[in-house]
Amino acid sequence: MAKLKFTKTALLALAPPEAGKRLTVYDTEVPKLAMRITAAGARTFYVVKRVGASMTWVKLGTFPGMTVEQARGEAQKILGEFATGANPAAARRAIREEPTFAELFKMFLDSKKKRDGSPLSEKTKRDYRDSLRLYLESIKAKKLSHITRSDVKAIHAKATKKSAAQADKAVAIISAVFTFAADHEHFDGTNPASRIQKNPAPSRDRFAQASELPHLLPAIAESSLCDYFLLSLLSGARRSNVQAMAWRDIDLDAGIWRIGMTKNGTPQNVPLPPEAVATLRARKRAAGASPFVFPGTGVTGHLVEPKKAWATILRRASVRRLLDLLQTAGKLTDDERQRADRLLIEAPATAEKCYRAVADALEIDPADYDMTDLRIHDLRRTLGSWQAKTGASLAIIGKSLNHKTHQATAIYARLDLDPVRQSVETATKAMLEAAGIKEAASVVELPNRRSR
């Protein structure tokens, strides 16, 4: 009887027997675990156990689809059944009836409830399905008991090469699905995603600086989604909330926007500064039948993905900042600057390529003009940062941005909206003044706004 320590390398190295014969080898780690190899090269794991006068062969799975680690785990389960005198066939049926990860994933999306008892949002479901498609393909068809920590670690390592955050998210989804399975008694094994080491979380404190606002706000004003980005900046609200902003939730006379449910599970009253109210009044006059401030053609009925528009804004803002540097350095005449500005409006990508090449030739550091690292979410952080610059307390900033921490929640609850409004309006005025488009204590529209 041939024996060896089962490893992937050792098993793959075994040569198939000659035609008409089968080769059987046994594992030295789990002695009753065997692999049978056919002349055609098929390799199958079995548990081999004497029951009475006969030998029982319990098929576990084929290699390498079933790993050595999985085979040993299955073998231990079956041998445990034998030891208790139970019928191992019952254990085999239970494993056959066990759902795959994909099947449990679907049940999870259909039935999972958030802490407040509400179902997962359609956006969250789309995000989870994207993670399944992009990162979890290797475990979709596997039974839950066949998924190991090694599988999860491999998924995490591979996804980390693309995105550390998405890798951590993939592991969190796996863990959530297994927890859901245990809670609903679909699985009683170990969660293979528990205690997987996450990637270090990078600290991000990016926001629009005073030197960037004179270029950012005019670029926003030229965008077809100008109002969306302006309201994101002036309200400090989360991107998804601004996208789904509905007219029924806005009191323009009081300058209040009521968000029924935010990301942290609480409602929020957002005080709108005069510039935001003026923008909304203008949109209201031109609004159609849609209940949303920013209508969309998709299933949600509202704006969903403004990334392309944001990329164009950042490209224009960065190139304008570069053009200012070139003109100040005497590298552009007034006529050349006018031609550059026209090109930037008509073909932003072409203008960017052209003038970045000029900057490279002159050895201008991209850090002196490049703003393309600014994210949409940084508009929210920009309001909070300018509140801090203008003297607002952390409690005021936390309430205006709907932050929720154990330490500060009680303080936020005792605050009313008046100091929040004052802080938001002060920060708004400071930002617009820094951009050079607003006189102190006056309310004006952004220049170059596209008519609707």
Side-chain angles (χ1 to χ4, degrees), residues 342-365:
R342 285 197 298 271
L343 180 62
L344 186 57
I345 292 295
E346 297 167 1
T350 301
E352 180 184 40
K353 182 178 180 180
C354 173
Y355 290 101
R356 277 186 182 272
V358 173
D360 291 342
L362 295 173
E363 297 184 346
I364 297 176
D365 188 345

Side-chain angles (χ1 to χ4, degrees), residues 166-404:
Q166 289 300 317
D168 290 345
K169 181 178 178 180
V171 172
I173 291 173
I174 295 172
S175 182
V177 170
F178 271 89
T179 299
F180 174 85
D183 290 345
H184 291 77
E185 299 183 355
H186 296 299
F187 179 68
D188 60 3
T190 301
N191 187 334
S194 64
R195 298 187 303 280
I196 297 293
Q197 184 66 46
K198 293 183 178 180
N199 291 304
S203 176
R204 184 172 176 84
D205 57 2
R206 182 76 164 92
F207 66 96
Q209 305 288 335
S211 61
E212 295 174 321
L213 287 171
H215 305 93
L216 178 64
L217 290 184
I220 287 176
E222 293 166 352
S223 172
S224 60
L225 294 180
C226 166
D227 291 348
Y228 168 78
F229 293 114
L230 181 62
L231 287 170
S232 295
L233 176 65
L234 299 184
S235 70
R238 294 176 177 88
R239 182 173 68 172
S240 59
N241 292 133
V242 181
Q243 289 169 189
M245 180 187 285
W247 290 114
R248 68 170 182 270
D249 298 326
I250 300 170
D251 184 339
L252 291 175
D253 292 332
I256 295 291
W257 169 28
R258 170 74 172 176
I259 303 176
M261 187 59 64
T262 60
K263 182 180 179 180
N264 66 21
T266 62
Q268 180 186 9
N269 283 330
V270 180
L272 300 170
E275 293 80 5
V277 172
T279 297
L280 287 167
R281 287 192 187 279
R283 286 194 73 84
K284 185 67 173 176
R285 287 192 294 269
S290 174
F292 297 107
V293 176
F294 302 105
T297 57
V299 294
T300 65
H302 59 69
L303 176 67
V304 172
E305 192 46 79
K307 286 185 178 179
K308 288 185 178 180
W310 182 243
T312 299
I313 287 170
L314 294 183
R315 179 178 290 125
R316 285 176 172 163
S318 297
V319 175
R320 277 212 186 89
R321 201 174 178 201
L322 172 57
L323 293 176
D324 282 354
L325 288 175
L326 293 174
Q327 193 170 24
T328 301
K331 304 299 182 180
L332 283 180
T333 65
D334 290 343
D335 288 343
E336 289 172 334
R337 177 60 190 265
Q338 290 178 8
R339 287 196 295 272
D341 286 335
R342 285 197 298 271
L343 180 62
L344 186 57
I345 292 295
E346 297 167 1
T350 301
E352 180 184 40
K353 182 178 180 180
C354 173
Y355 290 101
R356 277 186 182 272
V358 173
D360 291 342
L362 295 173
E363 297 184 346
I364 297 176
D365 188 345
D368 291 338
Y369 64 86
D370 193 352
M371 297 167 56
T372 55
D373 66 327
L374 198 65
R375 301 174 186 171
I376 297 175
H377 186 77
D378 294 336
L379 294 176
R380 170 175 164 82
R381 189 179 292 109
T382 294
L383 177 64
S385 299
W386 280 82
Q387 285 177 279
K389 278 175 172 281
T390 51
S393 69
L394 293 179
I396 291 291
I397 296 170
K399 186 170 178 63
S400 64
L401 298 183
N402 194 233
H403 287 162
K404 186 178 182 181

